[in-house]
Amino acid sequence: MTYDETAVDKAIDRLLTEHPHLDAADDGVLDDLDQFHIGGAGAVDRLIPALALAGGDRVLDVGSGFGGPARQIARRTAHHVVGIDLAPAYVEAARSLTAKAGLSDLVRFELGDIAAFRPDRRFEAAITMHVQMNVEDKTTWFGRIADHLAPGARLAVWEVCRPRPARLPWPMPWSLDGTDSFVIPPGALLTAIEDAGFSHTEWTDESLWVRDWIAATFAGGPPAGPALPMLLEDGYTRVINFATALTDGTLEVWRGSFTKTT
Ligand SMILES: C[S@@+](CC[C@H](N)C(=O)[O-])C[C@H]1O[C@@H](n2cnc3c(N)ncnc32)[C@H](O)[C@@H]1O
């Protein structure tokens, strides 16, 4: 099963011990480790303006992983962020990294399925990054997100799409063998999200930006410090396969900004 790693928290502690000069409280210091999507912190920065945060707005991060995007949004905007994720070890690691970053007052994480989530009130904004690839019934899933958003709330997404039928090299970051992968063309994904109760204000192919990011990020080889593949089963192969499919156009990355309509 994908996302089945255990003791991620311990692995992070070991990596931090091996790199004592790193202070987990410093902005950006763990970007190579805790941003579980292509494009790193730069991708999150591309989503934040669409959230149009104001006043006491709170943000829901669906499929929050190790919590890098949630902490970045809190740091940049000082708004409260709640992450929810299905993987127990990931939620534990996200909580621990958030405590190390001194952000526990602004950011918290829930373990579980969005369908069973019972927040005390609805959110004014949400993000989801690189999660829907594991979801077969995308309209129902985005509908569960809509259920937790106030009327007029904003949703920003950063998503992997497959523009045309093509064989993918497994493992990928979201799937070890393809049995839990449901990657669809960008037009079909846009329709699924809109059918769930959203209208789009932006739907943009970010593949060129992503290819430039890959070239710049890996120009000198893999990052020297703690890095995401060190936490994942078969991590380096997954990252290399993904980068190859994005570079040759087999996969694309699309950024979307939506408003809840219903
Ligand atoms: C590729 S990671 C992305 C993590 C995070 N969004 C980020 O960009 O750093 C995908 C995450 O989605 C979670 N996930 C997969 N399916 C999910 C679902 N149906 N509901 C909530 N989380 C899910 C996984 O446990 C994993 O942490």
Side-chain angles (χ1 to χ4, degrees), residues 26-114:
D26 289 347
D27 188 3
V29 111
L30 295 181
D31 282 351
D32 292 331
L33 183 85
D34 66 6
Q35 302 275 357
F36 195 164
H37 54 261
I38 203 77
V44 181
D45 281 336
R46 293 172 92 72
L47 298 188
I48 289 175
L51 299 178
L53 297 174
D57 288 355
R58 296 184 318 156
V59 183
L60 176 65
D61 179 2
V62 184
S64 42
F66 305 126
R71 283 186 293 279
Q72 186 176 336
I73 291 169
R75 277 194 175 106
R76 300 275 192 278
T77 70
H79 284 260
H80 285 265
V81 185
V82 176
I84 181 165
D85 199 286
L86 283 177
Y90 292 14
V91 170
E92 189 188 0
R95 287 175 178 155
S96 169
L97 282 168
T98 301
K100 287 181 174 64
L103 288 168
S104 299
D105 286 348
L106 276 182
V107 186
R108 67 182 172 85
F109 296 92
E110 302 277 343
L111 172 64
D113 195 307
I114 188 80

Side-chain angles (χ1 to χ4, degrees), residues 133-181:
M133 301 96 84
N134 289 110
V135 176
E136 186 165 20
D137 183 349
K138 298 180 196 300
T139 297
T140 298
W141 191 73
F142 278 100
R144 296 288 82 81
I145 297 177
D147 289 344
H148 299 309
L149 301 184
R154 287 79 59 197
L155 169 70
V157 311
W158 183 255
E159 294 306 339
V160 180
C161 295
R162 181 165 55 171
R164 61 196 70 81
R167 192 183 284 272
L168 294 179
W170 306 108
M172 283 288 187
W174 65 93
S175 178
L176 293 173
D177 60 8
T179 56
D180 52 355
S181 176

